[in-house]
Amino acid sequence: MFKDILNKEKITEIKENFKEESEIINTFNKVFFKGIDMRASDIHIEPHIEFYIIRFRIDGILENFLKLEKNIGIGLISRIKILTGLDIGEKRLPQDGRFKGKIEKIKLDFRVSTIGTLKGERCVIRILSKNTELSLENIGLSDENYEIIKRNLNKTSGIIIISGPTGSGKTTTIYSMLKYLNNEERNILTIEDPVEYEVEGISQVQYKNEIGLSFSNVLRGFLRQDPDILFIGEIRDKETGEIAIRAALTGHLVLTTVHAKDTVGILERMKDLGLDMNLLINGILFLQSQRLLKRRCKFCENGCDKCNKGFKGRILMEEILEFDEKIRNILKENLNLIKFKEQIQYKNFYERGKVLFDKKEISWKEFIKECD
Ligand SMILES: [Zn+2]
């Protein structure tokens, strides 16, 4: 039948198209199954001059997974853009969106971002698992710190500040706290850029600079929404800091993050921003700093089929500085942070004693170097 209507060339073209289409679908399945199986947090689809490379971010580090012909890479991105509802014709301007999927009964949420580069369009997919049992009990806190956190989360006003580098699990910690607090009696609002976890019962706002509102303006609007608990993604400027402190001192529980290397570093940072330290000190419930370290594989030294080059999963390491009257008084009397460290015999991650790791005693410093 075909022979009568179509010439040989046309048939070859259709066959070729069909072959490419099914290759794209196969590649899509392979990339997503494998990415999830390897517990990647992100999938990168990167254009090079003559091909595409797929890379996975696993335990914080990018690793090559697959090399694709250029047309397959382009087709893969188009398929992802269709699923995300993005404009497939627009290949240069940045676009972002989300799509949902299900793999082996696990509901998954994907955040997609695309942008045009000189070598073609690139795409990064953040894998956000919806079913992860995110809870304070299972994020890996020490028993002592778990108790401190629970005790303070039950207070109705004050501020909790968490620090740690990008990828140290701050958002996961904050969300496990919000989940602990989440019930019908509380109004929980978050303002973030971007929103990383979607949680039922919490009002989350993704802050976008494009709408012409400053972060502090959005935050002011938020405070008129009668919140009990407020999560402010990050304090980057004095204005935001001032609003956060005021909210914490007027009957709200405020959770936030700042860039600082340890808990005392949080105070240094807030001081540098020019905030009223007396007010802040009154408002702080506790400061937390954290890192995520790669966990050594139990079965091997340099890699086996159960792990990724000798490492599997990550462990949380956190330090918490809880504020009580004694600490507040020391700081109010003399805001000399070097002296403060001496008075409370403060030791950050790097200065602590020994830690038992892989049945060997090593210093925290070595521990971090080994795993970070
Ligand atoms: Zn292994």
Side-chain angles (χ1 to χ4, degrees):
M1 277 286 275
F2 271 126
K3 266 180 202 159
D4 300 333
I5 312 163
L6 304 168
N7 60 31
K8 217 174 174 185
E9 271 172 36
K10 193 75 190 165
I11 293 171
T12 318
E13 195 192 316
I14 289 172
K15 273 186 181 167
E16 281 302 311
N17 281 344
F18 184 73
K19 213 179 110 196
E20 189 180 302
E21 188 64 33
S22 60
E23 199 177 332
I24 290 167
I25 292 171
N26 285 341
T27 309
F28 177 89
N29 290 341
K30 191 158 134 194
V31 167
F32 278 80
F33 269 103
K34 197 68 192 167
I36 287 151
D37 187 44
M38 292 178 76
R39 298 178 312 101
S41 60
D42 304 80
I43 298 170
H44 289 229
I45 307 170
E46 298 175 343
H48 291 245
I49 293 170
E50 284 171 1
F51 48 86
Y52 262 87
I53 294 275
I54 307 281
R55 295 205 283 173
F56 292 152
R57 188 176 292 282
I58 300 166
D59 295 337
I61 291 161
L62 274 174
E63 287 185 33
N64 285 353
F65 168 60
L66 202 62
K67 190 170 164 183
L68 297 174
E69 281 174 38
K70 197 110 185 186
N71 60 326
I72 301 299
I74 292 169
L76 183 63
I77 293 182
S78 291
R79 188 173 160 78
I80 291 164
K81 284 169 85 176
I82 291 168
L83 283 169
T84 315
L86 302 178
D87 177 0
I88 57 163
E90 176 55 69
K91 290 181 192 290
R92 285 184 302 171
L93 294 178
Q95 296 189 69
D96 63 273
R98 282 164 179 262
F99 75 92
K100 291 183 202 308
K102 209 172 174 184
I103 288 177
E104 285 163 357
K105 289 184 188 162
I106 300 172
K107 273 192 211 157
L108 293 157
D109 221 347
F110 302 96
R111 195 176 72 220
V112 177
S113 153
T114 63
I115 192 165
T117 72
L118 275 179
K119 298 184 189 75
E121 195 174 21
R122 57 169 291 147
C123 177
V124 174
I125 301 120
R126 166 68 55 95
I127 303 172
L128 306 160
S129 171
K130 264 205 152 173
N131 275 13
T132 352
E133 268 313 309
L134 194 65
S135 77
L136 265 187
E137 287 89 13
N138 67 16
I139 57 168
L141 294 162
S142 71
D143 293 346
E144 195 193 345
N145 287 334
Y146 172 71
E147 288 305 324
I148 295 177
I149 292 176
K150 244 178 36 177
R151 177 161 72 229
N152 283 288
L153 287 179
N154 287 320
K155 296 179 180 166
T156 51
S157 68
I159 186 166
I160 294 165
I161 310 175
I162 302 186
S163 78
T166 309
S168 60
K170 294 188 294 271
T171 317
T172 306
T173 300
I174 296 257
Y175 266 92
S176 67
M177 293 179 181
L178 293 177
K179 267 199 138 173
Y180 174 83
L181 292 164
N182 190 13
N183 65 27
E184 286 166 6
E185 290 160 24
R186 295 183 172 117
N187 182 15
I188 305 179
L189 302 180
T190 81
I191 171 167
E192 307 161 75
D193 174 28
V195 173
E196 287 193 32
Y197 291 96
E198 270 185 71
V199 180
E200 193 60 41
I202 296 182
S203 302
Q204 300 166 280
V205 168
Q206 173 144 337
Y207 170 69
K208 276 207 184 331
N209 203 9
E210 300 108 67
I211 53 175
L213 276 176
S214 73
F215 195 82
S216 48
N217 264 328
V218 178
L219 196 51
R220 278 197 196 90
F222 244 50
L223 281 167
R224 292 189 285 270
Q225 292 284 316
D226 187 29
D228 297 298
I229 294 143
L230 207 57
F231 167 39
I232 302 166
E234 190 188 336
I235 294 181
R236 290 187 198 139
D237 55 67
K238 190 181 177 189
E239 234 187 331
T240 307
E242 280 173 343
I243 300 169
I245 296 169
R246 210 176 313 134
L249 293 171
T250 53
H252 308 90
L253 185 64
V254 179
L255 309 176
T256 189
T257 73
V258 298
H259 264 281
K261 78 169 178 19
D262 54 28
T263 50
V264 176
I266 295 174
L267 294 172
E268 280 161 6
R269 173 86 179 121
M270 300 300 261
K271 198 176 159 194
D272 288 346
L273 285 177
L275 292 164
D276 184 327
M277 293 304 279
N278 262 327
L279 287 182
L280 176 68
I281 290 159
N282 280 335
I284 293 174
L285 298 176
F286 67 85
L287 303 174
Q288 178 169 344
S289 184
Q290 64 178 61
R291 301 283 188 281
L292 275 180
L293 307 177
K294 288 168 91 171
R295 189 196 294 272
R296 279 266 181 81
C297 175
K298 278 188 284 190
F299 307 97
C300 71
E301 291 225 336
N302 299 312
C304 65
D305 57 357
K306 290 188 178 68
C307 70
N308 187 25
K309 293 174 187 159
F311 291 99
K312 187 176 174 133
R314 291 193 285 182
I315 33 174
L316 175 70
M317 186 170 73
E318 79 285 353
E319 59 171 43
I320 290 189
L321 184 58
E322 189 181 22
F323 272 44
D324 54 18
E325 278 320 295
K326 187 185 150 210
I327 291 220
R328 289 197 179 97
N329 286 337
I330 296 173
L331 283 167
K332 278 186 197 165
E333 230 163 74
N334 182 2
L335 193 70
N336 179 333
L337 293 174
I338 296 165
K339 231 176 151 187
F340 173 66
K341 283 185 189 179
E342 284 167 18
Q343 274 170 290
I344 61 165
Q345 294 180 335
Y346 170 79
K347 281 190 172 125
N348 72 9
F349 296 118
Y350 301 93
E351 293 156 351
R352 287 202 188 134
K354 301 277 182 188
V355 60
L356 201 61
F357 182 63
D358 271 5
K359 292 175 192 152
K360 270 184 297 192
E361 261 209 343
I362 56 173
S363 74
W364 282 87
K365 206 169 179 172
E366 284 170 311
F367 183 48
I368 288 183
K369 219 170 77 192
E370 182 123 15
C371 318
D372 214 359

